[in-house]
Structure formats: C-alpha cells, structure tokens
Amino acid sequence: MRIQLNPIVKKDLQVTARSMRFSWGLFAYEAVVAVAFLLGLNSIQSNIDSYYGDGNVYQDLMNLFPTLAIAQVCIMALIVPIMTASSISGEKERQTFDLMMTTCMSPLSIVFGKVFSAVLHVLFYMMGSLPVMALSFVAGGLSWSVLFYFVLAVILLSVFAGSIGILCSSLCKRSISAVILSFGMYFVLNLLTISPLLIRAFWGWNENGLGEALLPLLLNPIVFFEEFFMQVMTGESLFGTSEEYRLVEGDVGYLTYCFTYGKVWVFLSAGCILLLAFLFMLIAAWRIDPLSAAAERKPLKGSQN
C-alpha cells in the first residue's frame, strides 16, 4: 500500500534536501546545543569536588538533560512561528496564493501541510541533536523512554507554535507583520492563562483559597514543560505532592485537586494544548477559504442593491 504525502509536505521535503540554508540552520542549531552542553558540564565540574566524597557525580550528570532540553525548547519556540508565519503571507507577497488555491487541495489540507512541514524541520533538528542528548542519558542514567517522551513533547510544542504562526499568517498580508503578531499571541496567551491565578492570589486567596484558578494553566505550554521536567527529574508535581494536596484540598477546587494528582496534569495539558492548536488551524483554514470569503461579501452586495 502506497502512502501519499501531503503535496505541500512533499514539496518542502524536496526543497529542504537541496537547500544549503537548511544545512547552515542545522549547523547553527547544533552549535547552540553544544554550547549548552559545555556550559552544563562546566557547571557540574565546578561542583564535582563537593559531590566526589559522596559518590553522587553521576546523579549530578542528570542535570545535563534539562539543560539541553530547555535550550532546544527555547529554540523551537522561536523558529517554528517564524517558519509558519510566512507560509500564507509569503504566498501573498509572491503573488502565488491564488494559484495555490486553484489546486485540488482543500484549505484545511493546505494549513495542515504548512504546519507539518515545520514539524518535520523540527524533527530533523531533533535527530541531529540526538548524539549530544544521548550523552546525558548514558552518563546520567536516565531512562531512554524519557527521551521518547521529550520528543513527543517537542512535537506538541511545534504543532502549537506552528498553529499560532499559520493563524497569524492567514490574518496578515505581510510576513513581518505575521511574525510580530505570532509572538504577540504567545505573550497574550501566556498572560491570559496566568491572569486568573494572579487575580485570585491578590484578591481573596487568603479567604477563599485558589479555587479553580489553576485550570487555565492547562493551556500554558510553559507550565506544561515545567511540570514535565518536574515529573521526569523528581517524580513529583509542580503543584505539590499528593499528600500535600490531601491536606489543603479545601484551598483548591475539586477539579484542580483531581487534575494535579500524579501525572494527570501532563497528559491533560497536552490534550488541551493540542485541541487549541487544532482550533487555530481550523480558523486559519476558514480565513483562506475562498467560499467563506465570498459568503462574507455576499450580504454587503445585497445591502448596496
């Protein structure tokens, strides 16, 4: 059975394989990861004397994983919106957007193709960084399943960041405007998800507790990765251990009490972020759909007559 790739993904793979820009981008990415690895080793070397007597040097090497992982997450969060923010607006600037819309592809498949092309670029970068990442697992003693889960988490972040970029690209006519709007949406989303917690903390935390103010953080990718690293490195939750929440169950709502138990928050937050990304892609597909645009203009014509 022959698997048919999305035409946009197939075209981008062919262009990427022949592009020197991608090779230089991969080189720069590997250089940043290598610098992060060397800085992590330097930090461990400065503390090795205090740990040498207890024989905990290998346990300290486990800190290489979050150092490298956070560096890669920050890079992905920056480059993915840039790649997708110029996908639709770039077609408009090159005056090839109308030609693309005349193909047999639906607007949703075009949006999916643009987003997953960016995800494939991220996977190429991830595969290139595996030798450096593997050193932290061999020396630090972490399970290889952690690396697999980290790759899935990075893919989730790439889809989310790509969906924001493609949405802004469908809203703007210029690529630079779409890139600026993408990072603006990053900031607004993080601010909106944390604002209920801040309001609750300043107004009424002491009297009524947090309630369900933590639930909007399910849509916050920063909190998702903080919880992920906490679970991987310590086995505990960012929101406290289950025993602590049994003591302060009255300070949080029932849903918050259930969702912050064990690893429930990580999986639930991943599902919420993925649903939000899918919603952004649906809106982007609706924005570039010629039929929906014609439906918007139809009442205006009728009113003029």
Side-chain angles (χ1 to χ4, degrees), residues 132-172:
V132 181
M133 290 287 292
L135 292 176
S136 61
F137 286 84
V138 173
L142 288 172
S143 172
W144 288 102
S145 61
V146 174
L147 181 59
F148 174 74
Y149 292 135
F150 173 68
V151 172
L152 292 181
V154 170
I155 293 175
L156 174 67
L157 174 66
S158 303
V159 173
F160 179 70
S163 66
I164 294 178
I166 199 72
L167 175 61
C168 297
S169 186
S170 66
L171 296 173
C172 301

